[in-house]
Amino acid sequence: MKSQQNPQTMKPATAAKKLGVYLPATPAPFQEGVVTRAELDRLQAEPPEWLRELRRDGPHPRPVVAAKLGVSIAGLARGGVTEALTTEQIESLKQERPEWLERERATQAGVRKEAARLKELRKEQAGQG
């Protein structure tokens, strides 16, 4: 006897996170339903217009905003950015270059530099051991 396999499903919030979009900006049917792995794969491979538009114009979730601005999510919070931003708002911030953004970008650059230094150090130590 062969058992039928149930498709793996996820909550809309999980699917939105995997798609890199802000859940409240997605269509109601997406927010109210469940998403199967096959549906997620289809959305990624052949994004419908609403998904292409959200990815292009936003509003974007905080991880995407942080990446586009070159800062951490915590840096966004320290700068007072707690909501999703549109692409236009992000570009405006890049043009205005507020003090908090410059400070957080410098902090993020320092974190990346230190991570690279530690990685190189571990590589050297592994070679000696």
Side-chain angles (χ1 to χ4, degrees):
M1 193 170 201
K2 194 176 180 183
S3 65
Q4 247 188 327
Q5 195 174 11
N6 289 333
Q8 182 184 5
T9 61
M10 61 192 82
K11 294 178 182 175
T14 303
K17 188 175 184 178
K18 289 180 181 287
L19 292 169
V21 295
Y22 185 56
L23 179 62
T26 61
F30 181 87
Q31 293 179 39
E32 296 162 1
V34 293
V35 180
T36 66
R37 172 63 62 190
E39 289 169 332
L40 179 69
D41 291 345
R42 211 171 19 259
L43 286 169
Q44 289 173 324
E46 300 169 16
E49 182 57 34
W50 65 264
L51 181 54
R52 288 193 304 269
E53 190 175 305
L54 273 179
R55 286 178 169 169
R56 182 181 57 243
D57 303 327
H60 303 286
R62 286 183 304 147
V64 174
V65 173
K68 287 180 179 275
L69 290 173
V71 300
S72 67
I73 294 173
L76 281 180
R78 286 189 293 270
V81 178
T82 57
E83 299 299 317
L85 298 179
T86 63
T87 300
E88 187 176 313
Q89 291 168 313
I90 292 168
E91 291 305 316
S92 178
L93 276 173
K94 286 180 176 180
Q95 294 299 316
E96 292 169 14
R97 298 172 63 130
E99 183 182 322
W100 71 265
L101 180 56
E102 294 301 309
R103 185 175 56 248
E104 292 300 332
R105 281 180 165 174
T107 299
Q108 191 70 3
V111 168
R112 283 193 294 271
K113 186 176 180 180
E114 179 64 6
R117 185 189 70 80
L118 292 174
K119 182 178 178 181
E120 188 62 32
L121 182 64
R122 282 191 293 275
K123 196 165 135 183
E124 289 173 9
Q125 289 173 343
Q128 293 175 358

